[in-house]
Short mmCIF file of all heavy atoms in Angstrom, two decimals:
data_model
loop_
_atom_site.label_atom_id
_atom_site.label_comp_id
_atom_site.label_asym_id
_atom_site.label_seq_id
_atom_site.Cartn_x
_atom_site.Cartn_y
_atom_site.Cartn_z
N VAL A 1161 -0.32 54.75 -11.80
CA VAL A 1161 -1.70 54.50 -12.24
C VAL A 1161 -1.98 55.28 -13.53
O VAL A 1161 -2.56 54.73 -14.48
CB VAL A 1161 -2.71 54.88 -11.13
CG1 VAL A 1161 -4.15 54.84 -11.66
CG2 VAL A 1161 -2.56 53.93 -9.93
N SER A 1162 -1.55 56.52 -13.57
CA SER A 1162 -1.78 57.37 -14.76
C SER A 1162 -1.10 56.78 -15.99
O SER A 1162 -1.67 56.75 -17.09
CB SER A 1162 -1.26 58.79 -14.53
OG SER A 1162 -1.90 59.36 -13.43
N LYS A 1163 0.14 56.30 -15.82
CA LYS A 1163 0.88 55.72 -16.95
C LYS A 1163 0.18 54.48 -17.48
O LYS A 1163 0.03 54.30 -18.70
CB LYS A 1163 2.31 55.37 -16.49
CG LYS A 1163 3.14 54.57 -17.50
CD LYS A 1163 3.39 55.33 -18.79
CE LYS A 1163 4.20 54.47 -19.76
NZ LYS A 1163 4.34 55.10 -21.08
N ILE A 1164 -0.28 53.60 -16.57
CA ILE A 1164 -0.98 52.39 -17.00
C ILE A 1164 -2.23 52.74 -17.79
O ILE A 1164 -2.49 52.22 -18.87
CB ILE A 1164 -1.34 51.50 -15.78
CG1 ILE A 1164 -0.07 50.91 -15.15
CG2 ILE A 1164 -2.31 50.38 -16.18
CD1 ILE A 1164 -0.29 50.31 -13.78
N LYS A 1165 -3.02 53.66 -17.24
CA LYS A 1165 -4.29 54.02 -17.87
C LYS A 1165 -4.09 54.77 -19.19
O LYS A 1165 -4.94 54.70 -20.09
CB LYS A 1165 -5.15 54.84 -16.91
CG LYS A 1165 -5.72 54.02 -15.76
CD LYS A 1165 -6.73 53.00 -16.25
CE LYS A 1165 -7.38 52.22 -15.15
NZ LYS A 1165 -8.45 51.33 -15.63
N GLU A 1166 -2.97 55.44 -19.30
CA GLU A 1166 -2.65 56.17 -20.54
C GLU A 1166 -2.47 55.19 -21.70
O GLU A 1166 -2.96 55.41 -22.81
CB GLU A 1166 -1.38 57.00 -20.33
CG GLU A 1166 -0.88 57.76 -21.53
CD GLU A 1166 0.55 58.27 -21.30
OE1 GLU A 1166 0.86 58.70 -20.17
OE2 GLU A 1166 1.34 58.20 -22.24
N VAL A 1167 -1.75 54.09 -21.45
CA VAL A 1167 -1.45 53.15 -22.55
C VAL A 1167 -2.43 51.96 -22.59
O VAL A 1167 -2.54 51.28 -23.61
CB VAL A 1167 0.01 52.63 -22.48
CG1 VAL A 1167 0.98 53.77 -22.74
CG2 VAL A 1167 0.32 51.95 -21.16
N MET A 1168 -3.14 51.72 -21.47
CA MET A 1168 -4.13 50.62 -21.41
C MET A 1168 -5.35 51.11 -20.63
O MET A 1168 -5.51 50.79 -19.45
CB MET A 1168 -3.54 49.40 -20.71
CG MET A 1168 -2.47 48.67 -21.48
SD MET A 1168 -1.64 47.41 -20.46
CE MET A 1168 -0.44 48.43 -19.60
N PRO A 1169 -6.23 51.89 -21.26
CA PRO A 1169 -7.38 52.46 -20.53
C PRO A 1169 -8.26 51.40 -19.88
O PRO A 1169 -8.92 51.65 -18.88
CB PRO A 1169 -8.15 53.22 -21.61
CG PRO A 1169 -7.16 53.46 -22.71
CD PRO A 1169 -6.19 52.32 -22.67
N HIS A 1170 -8.26 50.19 -20.47
CA HIS A 1170 -9.13 49.11 -19.96
C HIS A 1170 -8.43 48.26 -18.88
O HIS A 1170 -9.00 47.27 -18.42
CB HIS A 1170 -9.55 48.21 -21.13
CG HIS A 1170 -8.39 47.54 -21.82
ND1 HIS A 1170 -7.40 48.26 -22.47
CD2 HIS A 1170 -8.04 46.24 -21.95
CE1 HIS A 1170 -6.51 47.42 -22.97
NE2 HIS A 1170 -6.88 46.19 -22.67
N ALA A 1171 -7.20 48.62 -18.50
CA ALA A 1171 -6.44 47.79 -17.54
C ALA A 1171 -7.13 47.75 -16.18
O ALA A 1171 -7.74 48.73 -15.73
CB ALA A 1171 -5.02 48.33 -17.39
N CYS A 1172 -6.99 46.62 -15.53
CA CYS A 1172 -7.47 46.43 -14.16
C CYS A 1172 -6.31 46.69 -13.21
O CYS A 1172 -5.20 46.19 -13.42
CB CYS A 1172 -7.97 45.00 -13.99
SG CYS A 1172 -8.54 44.60 -12.33
N ILE A 1173 -6.55 47.51 -12.17
CA ILE A 1173 -5.49 47.81 -11.18
C ILE A 1173 -6.01 47.51 -9.79
O ILE A 1173 -6.99 48.10 -9.32
CB ILE A 1173 -5.04 49.29 -11.28
CG1 ILE A 1173 -4.54 49.62 -12.69
CG2 ILE A 1173 -3.95 49.57 -10.24
CD1 ILE A 1173 -4.19 51.08 -12.91
N GLY A 1174 -5.36 46.56 -9.12
CA GLY A 1174 -5.68 46.23 -7.74
C GLY A 1174 -4.73 46.93 -6.78
O GLY A 1174 -3.59 47.23 -7.13
N VAL A 1175 -5.22 47.18 -5.58
CA VAL A 1175 -4.47 47.98 -4.59
C VAL A 1175 -4.46 47.26 -3.24
O VAL A 1175 -5.51 46.83 -2.76
CB VAL A 1175 -5.14 49.36 -4.39
CG1 VAL A 1175 -4.35 50.23 -3.41
CG2 VAL A 1175 -5.32 50.08 -5.72
N ASP A 1176 -3.28 47.12 -2.62
CA ASP A 1176 -3.20 46.68 -1.22
C ASP A 1176 -3.17 47.90 -0.32
O ASP A 1176 -2.45 48.87 -0.60
CB ASP A 1176 -1.90 45.89 -0.96
CG ASP A 1176 -1.94 44.49 -1.54
OD1 ASP A 1176 -3.04 44.02 -1.86
OD2 ASP A 1176 -0.87 43.87 -1.67
N VAL A 1177 -3.91 47.85 0.78
CA VAL A 1177 -3.90 48.97 1.73
C VAL A 1177 -4.02 48.43 3.15
O VAL A 1177 -4.72 47.45 3.40
CB VAL A 1177 -5.02 49.99 1.39
CG1 VAL A 1177 -6.38 49.36 1.46
CG2 VAL A 1177 -4.95 51.22 2.27
N ILE A 1178 -3.29 49.04 4.07
CA ILE A 1178 -3.30 48.65 5.48
C ILE A 1178 -4.00 49.74 6.28
O ILE A 1178 -3.68 50.93 6.13
CB ILE A 1178 -1.86 48.48 6.02
CG1 ILE A 1178 -1.16 47.32 5.31
CG2 ILE A 1178 -1.86 48.24 7.53
CD1 ILE A 1178 0.34 47.23 5.61
N VAL A 1179 -4.95 49.35 7.14
CA VAL A 1179 -5.60 50.34 8.02
C VAL A 1179 -5.18 50.11 9.46
O VAL A 1179 -4.89 48.98 9.86
CB VAL A 1179 -7.14 50.29 7.92
CG1 VAL A 1179 -7.61 50.66 6.54
CG2 VAL A 1179 -7.70 48.95 8.33
N GLY A 1180 -5.16 51.20 10.23
CA GLY A 1180 -4.90 51.08 11.66
C GLY A 1180 -3.44 50.98 12.03
O GLY A 1180 -3.10 50.54 13.13
N PHE A 1181 -2.55 51.41 11.13
CA PHE A 1181 -1.11 51.43 11.46
C PHE A 1181 -0.88 52.41 12.61
O PHE A 1181 -1.57 53.43 12.71
CB PHE A 1181 -0.32 51.86 10.22
CG PHE A 1181 1.17 51.77 10.38
CD1 PHE A 1181 1.81 50.55 10.24
CD2 PHE A 1181 1.93 52.89 10.68
CE1 PHE A 1181 3.18 50.45 10.39
CE2 PHE A 1181 3.30 52.81 10.84
CZ PHE A 1181 3.94 51.58 10.69
N PRO A 1182 0.07 52.13 13.51
CA PRO A 1182 0.32 53.04 14.65
C PRO A 1182 0.51 54.48 14.19
O PRO A 1182 1.27 54.75 13.26
CB PRO A 1182 1.60 52.48 15.27
CG PRO A 1182 1.60 51.04 14.92
CD PRO A 1182 0.95 50.95 13.57
N GLY A 1183 -0.20 55.38 14.85
CA GLY A 1183 -0.08 56.80 14.50
C GLY A 1183 -1.05 57.24 13.42
O GLY A 1183 -1.09 58.42 13.07
N GLU A 1184 -1.86 56.30 12.87
CA GLU A 1184 -2.83 56.67 11.83
C GLU A 1184 -4.03 57.36 12.51
O GLU A 1184 -4.85 56.73 13.14
CB GLU A 1184 -3.32 55.44 11.06
CG GLU A 1184 -4.28 55.80 9.91
CD GLU A 1184 -4.91 54.58 9.27
OE1 GLU A 1184 -5.72 53.89 9.93
OE2 GLU A 1184 -4.58 54.31 8.10
N THR A 1185 -4.08 58.68 12.37
CA THR A 1185 -5.19 59.46 12.92
C THR A 1185 -6.39 59.37 11.99
O THR A 1185 -6.28 58.84 10.87
CB THR A 1185 -4.80 60.94 13.07
OG1 THR A 1185 -4.52 61.44 11.75
CG2 THR A 1185 -3.57 61.11 13.95
N GLU A 1186 -7.51 59.92 12.43
CA GLU A 1186 -8.70 59.95 11.57
C GLU A 1186 -8.38 60.74 10.30
O GLU A 1186 -8.83 60.38 9.20
CB GLU A 1186 -9.86 60.62 12.34
CG GLU A 1186 -11.22 60.44 11.69
CD GLU A 1186 -11.72 58.99 11.64
OE1 GLU A 1186 -11.22 58.14 12.41
OE2 GLU A 1186 -12.60 58.71 10.82
N GLU A 1187 -7.57 61.81 10.44
CA GLU A 1187 -7.20 62.64 9.28
C GLU A 1187 -6.38 61.82 8.28
O GLU A 1187 -6.58 61.89 7.07
CB GLU A 1187 -6.41 63.87 9.73
CG GLU A 1187 -7.22 64.94 10.46
CD GLU A 1187 -7.62 64.51 11.88
OE1 GLU A 1187 -6.92 63.67 12.48
OE2 GLU A 1187 -8.65 65.02 12.37
N HIS A 1188 -5.41 61.04 8.82
CA HIS A 1188 -4.59 60.20 7.94
C HIS A 1188 -5.46 59.19 7.20
O HIS A 1188 -5.27 58.95 6.01
CB HIS A 1188 -3.53 59.43 8.75
CG HIS A 1188 -2.45 60.28 9.32
ND1 HIS A 1188 -1.97 60.11 10.60
CD2 HIS A 1188 -1.73 61.29 8.78
CE1 HIS A 1188 -1.01 61.00 10.82
NE2 HIS A 1188 -0.85 61.73 9.73
#
Side-chain angles (χ1 to χ4, degrees):
V1161 170
S1162 301
K1163 171 63 181 173
I1164 291 166
K1165 288 293 184 174
E1166 177 193 321
V1167 294
M1168 290 170 277
H1170 61 297
C1172 178
I1173 302 175
V1175 182
D1176 285 344
V1177 60
I1178 296 170
V1179 297
F1181 187 80
E1184 183 188 68
T1185 62
E1186 193 65 20
E1187 288 72 26
H1188 290 137

